[in-house]
Amino acid sequence: MELELQQAIEVLERTPSTLNSLLRDLSESWLVQNEGPETWSPRDIVGHLIHAENSDWIPRAQIILEHGDERAFEPFDRFAMFEKFTGKSIGELLDTFGRMRAESLRELRLMNLTPALLEKRGRHPEFGVVTLSQLLATWVVHDLGHLAQVTRVMAKQYREAVGPWTAYLPVLGR
Amino acid sequence: MELELQQAIEVLERTPSTLNSLLRDLSESWLVQNEGPETWSPRDIVGHLIHAENSDWIPRAQIILEHGDERAFEPFDRFAMFEKFTGKSIGELLDTFGRMRAESLRELRLMNLTPALLEKRGRHPEFGVVTLSQLLATWVVHDLGHLAQVTRVMAKQYREAVGPWTAYLPVLGR
């Protein structure tokens, strides 16, 4: 599929409610366990999404609209959430993410992006030239990839509990 | 984690609302595309969950409680949904799944499963002896694995649209 703005927004606006449905009021043991050393728990992932919302998507779109490919984006720290969100409950994190996503989508709509603007070029600090359309598609895939990760991490907590059924559950081997 | 009944139910009761949040009223193109030949679309996956609800979890739990390991479960047809659900809208499928899951959980609670009953043995047609606890853990992992699949299938529709960012999006390679 090519990126079509309204279809991308359909996914972006669903992510907070999907995470709410999955994680709010869930037992702590589902929320804090991960896939092993150097991997993330569902709670870490929500923290990461908040941090990305703050410093990645809309700020980078604005840099493209204002500076084109003459100014590179700020590099994005993918591990910042480990310091920033210690001690916050999952409810607080989900509330924060929901508020920030609503604000991001308000700003996105105010950009009135035309097909021509979607092809506008920016500069990634590592990849070089990218387009606004690629940035927005990445936003959507980033959401969906982290939703897949949350559910995979939760599934793996029952790796042993399923006994021989593990053979029919490919998610446990990913 | 070992299976703890209340924590398992927490996940099982969230799956219909999570799928609702992700899929209801979404554009058709997100719903019908898959990962290539012999793979499933988000719509197929909801059909599969309905079919599993009908013929897998509670029926098998009842066989264990009534017959122990003296009677093997009926084999489960993992592809039955392709015939059964043609022509149904995603809204109808989600409504059906939500109703069936609520009924399954009502029946599960009525079983008043004690730790001793959870260790009761049944017979899988292929694996041989399994326990009720393993069956319920499998139900949870099956839900979570298919949620991971729905989001992964959606993410892959933007495989080309993300351009060079594909390098940072592992979900596109799974």
Side-chain angles (χ1 to χ4, degrees):
Chain A
M1 275 164 68
E2 290 188 25
L3 179 120
E4 197 276 295
L5 188 59
Q6 194 45 49
Q7 287 181 356
I9 291 176
E10 279 179 14
V11 175
L12 294 172
E13 69 190 0
R14 281 166 164 78
T15 305
S17 59
T18 302
L19 285 168
N20 260 305
S21 172
L22 259 176
L23 301 178
R24 192 177 289 266
D25 302 323
L26 205 58
S27 290
E28 195 70 2
S29 51
W30 286 119
L31 296 170
V32 300
Q33 299 196 63
N34 58 26
E35 296 173 280
E38 311 287 308
T39 65
W40 296 356
S41 68
R43 201 180 165 290
D44 294 333
I45 295 165
V46 179
H48 169 77
L49 289 169
I50 292 173
H51 178 63
E53 205 68 16
N54 196 42
S55 55
D56 199 333
W57 315 113
I58 292 292
R60 288 183 167 189
Q62 282 162 341
I63 290 173
I64 295 179
L65 291 177
E66 286 169 34
H67 303 281
D69 58 6
E70 286 171 19
R71 184 169 137 197
F73 312 139
E74 299 292 321
F76 175 63
D77 177 357
R78 290 149 79 206
F79 304 97
M81 72 282 189
F82 293 111
E83 291 172 28
K84 279 171 83 174
F85 303 115
T86 335
K88 296 259 193 289
S89 73
I90 190 74
E92 288 174 286
L93 294 174
L94 290 167
D95 288 345
T96 301
F97 179 60
R99 267 197 313 274
M100 293 179 75
R101 174 56 55 92
E103 176 59 22
S104 296
L105 293 178
R106 202 184 65 82
E107 293 184 44
L108 180 64
R109 289 190 174 99
L110 286 173
M111 289 175 178
N112 289 313
L113 296 177
T114 58
L117 281 174
L118 284 170
E119 290 315 307
K120 196 161 177 190
R121 290 147 61 109
R123 182 167 301 278
H124 188 278
E126 189 179 331
F127 306 138
V129 170
V130 290
T131 65
L132 181 51
S133 170
Q134 289 169 345
L135 174 69
L136 300 182
T138 301
W139 190 2
V140 171
V141 174
H142 185 264
D143 271 24
L144 292 168
H146 284 300
L147 287 171
Q149 183 186 17
V150 165
T151 49
R152 185 184 74 231
V153 172
M154 290 172 66
K156 286 190 181 174
Q157 306 315 316
Y158 276 173
R159 202 174 349 206
E160 277 82 43
V162 300
W165 267 288
T166 190
Y168 277 169
L169 297 165
V171 68
L172 297 177
R174 287 186 198 272
Chain B
M1 277 163 66
E2 290 187 26
L3 179 120
E4 196 276 295
L5 188 60
Q6 193 46 50
Q7 288 181 355
I9 290 175
E10 280 180 14
V11 176
L12 294 172
E13 70 190 358
R14 281 164 164 78
T15 304
S17 59
T18 302
L19 285 168
N20 259 306
S21 172
L22 260 175
L23 301 179
R24 192 178 288 266
D25 302 322
L26 206 58
S27 290
E28 195 69 2
S29 50
W30 285 119
L31 296 170
V32 300
Q33 300 196 62
N34 59 26
E35 296 173 281
E38 311 287 308
T39 66
W40 296 355
S41 68
R43 198 179 167 291
D44 294 333
I45 295 164
V46 178
H48 169 78
L49 288 169
I50 292 172
H51 179 62
E53 206 67 16
N54 196 41
S55 54
D56 199 332
W57 315 112
I58 292 292
R60 288 182 166 189
Q62 282 163 339
I63 290 172
I64 295 179
L65 291 177
E66 286 169 33
H67 304 280
D69 58 7
E70 286 172 20
R71 183 168 137 197
F73 311 141
E74 299 293 320
F76 176 61
D77 177 357
R78 290 148 82 205
F79 303 97
M81 71 281 189
F82 292 111
E83 291 173 27
K84 278 172 80 174
F85 302 116
T86 337
K88 295 261 191 290
S89 73
I90 190 73
E92 288 173 287
L93 294 175
L94 290 166
D95 288 345
T96 301
F97 179 61
R99 264 197 316 273
M100 292 178 76
R101 175 56 56 92
E103 176 60 20
S104 296
L105 293 178
R106 201 183 65 82
E107 294 184 44
L108 180 65
R109 290 190 174 99
L110 287 173
M111 289 175 180
N112 289 313
L113 296 177
T114 58
L117 281 174
L118 284 170
E119 291 315 306
K120 198 162 178 199
R121 292 148 60 111
R123 182 166 303 276
H124 187 279
E126 188 179 332
F127 306 138
V129 170
V130 291
T131 65
L132 181 52
S133 171
Q134 289 169 344
L135 174 70
L136 299 181
T138 301
W139 189 3
V140 171
V141 173
H142 185 265
D143 270 25
L144 292 167
H146 284 299
L147 287 171
Q149 182 186 18
V150 166
T151 49
R152 185 185 74 231
V153 171
M154 290 173 66
K156 285 190 181 172
Q157 306 315 317
Y158 276 174
R159 200 174 353 206
E160 277 82 41
V162 300
W165 266 289
T166 190
Y168 277 169
L169 297 165
V171 69
L172 297 177
R174 286 185 201 273

